[in-house]
Amino acid sequence: MEAYDVLIVGGGPIGIACGLEAKKKGLTYLIVEKGPIVNSLFNYPINMQFFSSSEKLEIAEIPFISKEAKPKRNEALEYYRRIVTSNQLNIHLFERVQGIEKNDDHFIVTSEKTRYQAKNVIVATGFYDLPNKIEVPGEDLPKVSHYYKDPHFYASQKLAVIGASNSAIDAALECWRKGAEVSLIIRGPEVGQRVKYWVRPDIINRINEGSIKAYYNSVVKEIRQHEIVVDTPEGEVVIENDFVLALTGYKPNFRFLQKIGIELSEDEKKLPVYNPETMETNVAGLYLAGVICGGMETHKWFIENSRIHADMIIASILEKQESKVPS
């Protein structure tokens, strides 16, 4: 069984940052990622542009140069991939971690391929795996997706977009510009306040001019093969429909966190328990890094404000190691 000082679950930007810092400090480490390098970013919409500027997406003080101030998905993929390859990081791709068990002073990490031993484990898995379901009849129809990739697919189609956040608004605008007939279903009274500041006026103008039909204070009650049923303040409305993008957000894999012993708050936020100074959870030697720290508050942590977790965690691991060395 291969043994490491640190095993990092998740090969996203923060997992990569943790690997870089571990290597820099002379620790043996392994990053295990269930998909390709920065899997979540790879699955973002093709034309997605970040809210953050490129320097705020940098890790380990490695410059991120982009054509515009706010880089796009393809530039981020290039940046993080080059970091992994040029630094020859020890990373196993397309290998899903299935379990983590504490065994005295070390962990046994079981993947779908093998088992590893590690003195410390960092979970940096993000929250993009599990969509927030709307729980209505017809949600399992093939025409419904909780992920959006390319607007070309929806050209000349009647498309319903459910949601009011950045992902929903970006999809609505891009698909409309590629010729889709877009209906926007929003639970609240307005377009989300956290929508990118250069995008929000665009969607509001498209709605006001009638290019995109918005249903405010409304929820989808049922999805049928060729239509959807929407509950609006004016009553029930039946809309002709070819495809549905239910972009209502995502959540961490809480079941996995609980399975490996991490405690969660007992309210709707489901915040994992960890020391904010070291990022160590209630399980000694088990750390959290990145956006997973926010529980259901998925808007609280981003690359730019969680990249510091790598330094904090590795510093904590080294401090504990030094305290065990006999004087």
Side-chain angles (χ1 to χ4, degrees):
M1 191 184 303
E2 296 179 55
Y4 300 92
D5 292 323
V6 187
L7 189 139
I8 301 155
V9 184
I14 306 306
I16 292 171
C18 290
L20 282 169
E21 185 64 13
K23 181 177 182 179
K24 177 182 175 183
K25 292 299 194 293
L27 298 172
T28 59
Y29 71 95
L30 172 66
I31 304 170
V32 182
E33 165 58 56
K34 71 177 185 302
I37 298 169
V38 290
N39 180 68
S40 292
L41 298 190
F42 176 77
N43 286 302
Y44 280 178
I46 286 177
N47 300 319
M48 193 213 75
Q49 187 169 27
F50 284 86
F51 191 95
S52 302
S53 54
S54 57
E55 72 273 8
K56 293 183 178 180
L57 299 175
E58 294 174 355
I59 56 177
E61 299 182 349
I62 299 171
F64 183 175
I65 309 301
S66 59
K67 292 180 181 178
E68 302 176 53
K70 300 180 187 301
K72 295 189 175 180
R73 166 188 171 273
N74 63 326
E75 293 176 305
L77 292 180
E78 180 74 15
Y79 173 69
Y80 295 115
R81 184 179 70 250
R82 290 296 297 273
I83 287 178
V84 169
T85 56
S86 63
N87 287 278
Q88 299 180 321
L89 290 184
N90 188 20
I91 183 169
H92 290 184
L93 301 172
F94 299 98
E95 182 175 345
R96 184 183 296 271
V97 169
Q98 298 174 321
I100 302 170
E101 295 181 14
K102 186 73 180 286
N103 188 351
D104 295 328
D105 62 346
H106 64 273
F107 294 88
I108 301 298
V109 180
T110 304
S111 77
E112 57 193 0
K113 295 183 179 180
T114 188
R115 300 171 77 205
Y116 305 98
Q117 181 176 309
K119 296 176 183 176
N120 303 276
V121 173
I122 302 171
V123 178
T125 51
F127 60 80
Y128 200 56
D129 279 351
L130 300 175
N132 292 320
K133 298 291 187 73
I134 58 175
E135 305 294 348
V136 300
E139 188 173 7
D140 58 347
L141 287 172
K143 63 185 275 187
V144 181
S145 176
H146 294 88
Y147 295 90
Y148 164 66
K149 195 73 173 178
D150 192 327
H152 174 83
F153 183 84
Y154 301 101
S156 301
Q157 299 297 291
K158 293 178 172 61
L159 172 66
V161 179
I162 305 172
S165 63
N166 278 299
S167 57
I169 300 308
D170 282 345
L173 286 168
E174 287 186 8
C175 292
W176 170 72
R177 290 195 161 96
K178 290 295 185 287
E181 182 181 320
V182 177
S183 300
L184 188 57
I185 317 300
I186 297 176
R187 181 184 293 270
E190 62 178 354
V191 173
Q193 287 291 336
R194 288 195 293 268
V195 170
K196 289 173 281 196
Y197 64 84
W198 66 92
V199 173
R200 197 169 189 273
D202 189 2
I203 187 66
I204 291 173
N205 287 337
R206 302 294 76 74
I207 292 169
N208 289 342
E209 71 186 16
S211 297
I212 292 174
K213 174 63 176 177
Y215 296 86
Y216 295 111
N217 298 303
S218 301
V219 294
V220 173
K221 290 181 60 179
E222 183 181 357
I223 300 171
R224 301 170 182 166
Q225 191 63 49
H226 301 293
E227 57 194 16
I228 61 172
V229 181
V230 181
D231 190 5
T232 77
E234 289 74 38
E236 191 173 280
V237 176
V238 179
I239 305 171
E240 286 187 51
N241 174 260
D242 298 309
F243 291 98
V244 175
L245 283 172
L247 303 178
T248 50
Y250 308 92
K251 58 187 176 184
N253 189 336
F254 294 117
R255 182 178 298 179
F256 177 75
L257 294 181
Q258 291 176 310
K259 179 182 175 183
I260 63 179
I262 296 176
E263 296 175 2
L264 306 176
S265 65
E266 296 182 358
D267 55 16
E268 70 282 355
K269 295 179 181 179
K270 296 186 178 180
L271 298 171
V273 173
Y274 65 89
N275 182 337
E277 295 181 0
T278 64
M279 308 310 295
E280 188 172 22
T281 69
N282 56 284
V283 180
L286 182 56
Y287 296 82
L288 294 180
V291 297
I292 196 172
C293 300
M296 288 300 295
E297 294 185 315
T298 54
H299 61 282
K300 289 294 182 69
W301 291 101
F302 305 94
I303 297 172
E304 65 182 73
N305 66 354
S306 63
R307 55 188 177 173
I308 61 172
H309 292 169
D311 291 353
M312 296 165 64
I313 293 169
I314 300 304
S316 172
I317 291 172
L318 289 172
E319 183 179 355
K320 288 198 296 182
Q321 282 191 357
E322 291 170 2
S323 67
K324 293 179 181 178
V325 176
S327 55

